[in-house]
Structure formats: C-alpha cells, structure tokens
Amino acid sequence: MTTNNPGFATLAVHAGAQPDPATGARITPIYQTTAYVFNDADHAAALFGLKQFGNIYTRIMNPTQAVLEERIAALEGGTAALAVASGHAAQMLIFHTLMQPGNNFVAARKLYGGSINQFGHAFQNFGWQVRWADPADPADFAAQIDENTRAIFIESLANPGGTFVDIAAIADVARRHGLPLIVDNTMASPYLVRPLEHGADIVVHSATKFLGGHGNSMGGVIVDGGTFDWSQSDKFPMLSKPRSEYSGIVLHQAFGNFAFAIACRVLGLRDLGPAIAPMNAFLILTGIETLPLRMQRHCENALRVATWLKQHPKVAWVNYAGLPDDPNHALQQRYSPKGGGAVFTFGVKGGYAAGKALVEGLQLFSHLANIGDTRSLVIHPASTTHAQLSEEQQIAAGAGPDVVRLSVGIEDAEDIIGDLDQSLARV
Ligand code: PLP
C-alpha cells in the first residue's frame, strides 16, 4: 500500500493482501492444502517451538486465512486477529484462553440467542459460569463482579433488538476491575462501530454475517486490541504462566501486545481444532471488499423500511435506533453515526397469528434463521427460534408473540417495502 494512512474502504479492499509471490495472481489464492514443507529440520523445530513465524498445518494457520486475519485486524484497529470456523468457535476460544474452572464472566442479558445458550448451557460443562447484566446499566455489570470474574461480554449492537450499547461506560467498569472487555461486533461491523476505539480489549465476530455478507460461508474472528496488560495480573495463567508444551515460554512476555491472539491460536485453536476452511476464508475476504458499500445500502434501506412500517396501520411498534424518535437514537448517533444497521424488530397488530401470517405472505424476503445477507431476511422468533419458551420468557428476550425480525437487504428499497405492503394487506 502506498498511502501512510489509508481509509476504511481502501483497507477493506487491500489490507493484508498482495499479488501472490509465486504466481503473480492478483486475488489471494485459496491455499487448499493441509500442510507446508519445512526448509530443513532446524526450520521445523523453530516453527514448532514458536521461535519463528511460519506455516505448519492448516488446523493452526493457512495463508488465505492469514490475509483475512490481517484485513479484519486493520479494519477494527487491532494488533492481530485469528479467524476460525464460526462465530461460536471464536467465542469458545476466547473464553478457553481467559477462564479456568470455577471462574465466571458478566455478559449482557440481551444477546444473540445462540450466545445465551452457549454461555448458559455449554460453558457450564467447563465450569465457566455466566452472570447476566442489563446492557443499559453499567452499574449492574459492576455489581456482579467478584474475585473469580475474568471478563465482561457485550454486543455493540444487540441481536435481535437492534439496540446500541454504551461501550465506553461498560469499558470503564471493566478497566476499574482489571478485566478485559469483549465486544461482539457482528451486527454493526467495523464500518459502523469500532469497539476498540471506545475501550474494548477484544472484538469478536460472526464473519458469517455482514463481513462475508452473502450468506455463503461460516466463519468467526477474534481481534486482539493489544490494550490489555496481561503482565499485571495472575488471573490469566494461559498468558502469564510458563507453557510447558512450548519449553516454558510465557506468552505475554514473548508476544507483547498480540499475545492474546497468539494464545487463542497456539493453545485454543491448536488443541480444540475449529479451523476455518480456506475456501470460506477466501469467500469472506472477497465479501469484505464491498463491506462499506453494502453497509451504507443496508442502513439506507433499513431506515426507509422502518420509517414506512412506523406509519402503517397494522404495525403496533417499530424498534429501529436509526429513527429520530427511537429511545436508542442518541446512542446510535454517538456510536454509529453512519447508520442504525440492517437488523431490527417490529410488532404486527394481531399478535402471534398475525406475525406468522405476515412472514408466510412475504415473497421477496427469505424466511430463515440468519442475518447479514445481501438478500432481505425475515423470521418470526415466537414460532421458530424462541418457540420453546413460555410467552413471558419470549417477551423478556424481546421475542414476544407479535415480534417480527427483519435483516434488510441491499435490493431496491421500493421492492422491499412493496413485499411488506402486499403481505401486510393480507394479514
Ligand atoms: N454473534 C451474533 C451477534 C450472531 O448473530 C451470531 C449468529 O447468528 C453469532 C454470534 C454466532 O455466529 P456463528 O453462527 O457464525 O457461529
């Protein structure tokens, strides 16, 4: 790259990539290989001993994946990144690096439902406890911290409700207690919000969503902000104690401000194994090239759709932070002035039956459990993702009987609104 301080759109196209040194190929190749030939026995030993950077085996690293990692680290403003098989795998590796059995972490109560399950059920098997806090109340996070707490976890823009969180206020709580703040930035993407600039230490993504952007590949990314001083605490033995399998290396001493990303790779990914497929890394990398354009269009369309829904006689309410009269609008203006994102919820008059009928009548929208595709997507949580909950639990989770969630795509806004119009007319 020739400019010293490239802009976001330039980084989205170029960061981490260069013409392939072996062939001149302009596009980063899909390095579809499982392993890499060592130069000689000393080279192999140096790689295995973490004395030298280089490729060993695609469970741990891959050249296509490496370009993706460098690009996302650049877009988020982090020191390093690690790409893995899915967003859930990324979360798993983060907590594997931070937690020991008997430790706990404090997480926002309003999260993607799959994260609520992962934290509340699967993580229990490892002896990691989650404590839920109100994302709108930083004091609630502080109140739940004790000597066994190891991290705070929030979503910058919460799924499914589409509400922005006061990252700086929660980062302040984390800093005062000597804990890293982890921010899931999936729904906003770094185009809208860069959590590291507001005090986060670690950013995590489901790259399956807006980063890849086309609904074609699973992936997850961990970004190391390089901000947390692991040397100041004996709470994180994976980073601060000698590692016997690497001849006594202390990771934070050896790798400084990218030690967290290294730990997730050489301890977590190496031993737990959720590697991203090179093909998926390639597709997500290609998707990122148009991230700024897509996010602009997603936000423009979502605002037009939300504004239109708000005046519709069959619509009871619309929660979209981009609307000037939305209670979350001030936080959106502060953290995400370029737009309110693509995903939001609204209520159809007539409750459960009306919500279900609306979804069934849509033709352009795809009825499925995903967000962040170029296509417009819809789901009625009460009859699908949240069907196993009582009505009271559904309402608490923001998935009451009348709630419909949209992920507004990049088609023509008139066509998206036209589809909603014809289906609402029949509800
Ligand atoms: N975080 C958020 C906000 C999500 O929406 C999702 C998936 O929908 C995930 C994490 C999990 O990501 P993945 O499905 O790639 O494992």
Side-chain angles (χ1 to χ4, degrees):
M1 226 169 290
T2 48
T3 57
N4 287 334
N5 191 17
F8 189 92
T10 306
L11 291 172
V13 175
H14 292 284
Q18 51 184 319
D20 181 48
T23 62
R26 186 63 190 87
I27 302 304
T28 301
I30 304 164
Y31 286 93
Q32 192 66 36
T33 182
T34 49
Y36 309 84
V37 177
F38 304 119
N39 300 342
D40 53 38
D42 287 342
H43 177 227
L47 294 179
F48 272 86
L50 299 185
K51 303 269 171 12
Q52 193 179 331
F53 289 111
N55 296 314
I56 300 176
Y57 189 57
T58 286
R59 170 154 40 74
I60 317 171
M61 74 285 279
N62 172 279
T64 314
Q65 171 190 346
V67 177
L68 174 64
E69 290 167 346
E70 213 174 305
R71 187 159 305 170
I72 295 175
L75 294 178
E76 287 287 4
T79 53
L82 175 65
V84 295
S86 67
H88 262 23
Q91 292 174 186
M92 166 73 196
L93 294 192
I94 288 173
F95 286 102
H96 175 259
T97 305
L98 297 175
M99 309 276 285
Q100 302 292 310
N103 288 163
N104 66 69
F105 62 102
V106 187
R109 191 173 286 121
K110 282 192 185 151
L111 295 180
Y112 161 58
S115 298
I116 293 178
N117 277 334
Q118 187 188 45
F119 297 172
H121 296 289
F123 281 8
Q124 303 286 312
N125 288 345
F126 304 122
W128 308 337
Q129 196 209 358
V130 60
R131 298 174 174 189
W132 302 112
D134 177 357
D137 181 10
D140 193 20
F141 286 83
Q144 308 212 42
I145 293 170
D146 66 16
E147 72 282 2
N148 288 318
T149 306
R150 294 294 178 268
I152 294 180
F153 185 99
I154 58 173
E155 286 176 2
S156 50
L157 173 57
N159 182 5
T163 47
F164 288 89
V165 174
D166 189 348
I167 302 171
I170 298 172
D172 192 46
V173 173
R175 207 170 18 255
R176 278 190 279 117
H177 290 85
L179 298 173
L181 173 64
I182 306 156
V183 178
D184 180 340
N185 201 28
T186 299
M187 288 257 295
S189 91
Y191 176 74
L192 292 180
V193 181
R194 288 168 33 114
L196 299 173
E197 291 173 356
H198 304 290
D201 300 292
I202 297 160
V203 172
V204 62
H205 277 281
S206 167
T208 317
K209 316 297 178 195
F210 294 97
L211 290 178
H214 295 73
N216 60 20
S217 329
M218 300 295 297
V221 180
I222 300 163
V223 182
D224 187 345
T227 42
F228 196 82
D229 186 355
W230 307 103
S231 71
Q232 293 303 307
S233 174
D234 56 4
K235 287 181 175 171
F236 306 101
M238 299 275 265
L239 288 132
S240 64
K241 294 264 164 20
R243 297 303 309 182
S244 56
E245 70 269 61
Y246 290 119
S247 56
I249 283 181
V250 175
L251 291 180
H252 85 74
Q253 286 170 358
F255 298 105
N257 69 358
F258 58 100
F260 184 77
I262 292 280
C264 289
R265 186 191 301 278
V266 304
L267 303 178
L269 184 58
R270 183 198 62 170
D271 294 350
L272 300 175
I276 188 167
M279 178 72 179
N280 285 7
F282 172 81
L283 289 169
I284 294 168
L285 192 57
T286 306
I288 289 174
E289 295 186 7
T290 55
L291 177 71
L293 294 172
R294 284 186 287 105
M295 290 310 291
Q296 280 164 23
R297 178 65 170 244
H298 277 301
C299 292
E300 270 169 38
N301 279 359
L303 181 58
R304 283 183 65 180
V305 171
T307 306
W308 180 83
L309 283 171
K310 188 109 195 210
Q311 52 72 49
H312 196 285
K314 290 189 180 172
V315 171
W317 52 268
V318 179
N319 271 350
Y320 183 60
L323 291 170
D325 58 348
D326 190 89
N328 198 234
H329 189 62
L331 276 180
Q332 182 256 308
Q333 289 288 296
R334 179 167 159 208
Y335 283 100
S336 181
K338 284 187 276 195
V343 179
F344 67 92
T345 51
F346 69 99
V348 195
K349 288 181 186 163
Y352 185 92
K356 214 166 151 215
L358 171 76
V359 167
E360 270 167 9
L362 289 168
Q363 292 163 5
L364 181 65
F365 277 81
S366 300
H367 180 201
L368 51 74
N370 197 19
I371 56 169
D373 195 328
T374 49
R375 276 151 279 272
S376 289
L377 313 175
V378 65
I379 200 157
H380 177 234
S383 61
T384 55
T385 50
H386 292 66
Q388 76 284 7
L389 303 183
S390 68
E391 191 172 320
E392 200 182 11
Q393 288 171 315
Q394 288 175 346
I395 291 167
D402 63 336
V403 175
V404 174
R405 183 189 74 186
L406 302 183
S407 175
V408 177
I410 62 171
E411 304 98 331
D412 289 300
E414 295 73 19
D415 294 330
I416 301 171
I417 290 170
D419 194 30
L420 287 162
D421 196 26
Q422 63 78 23
S423 187
L424 276 167
R426 292 191 280 140
V427 166

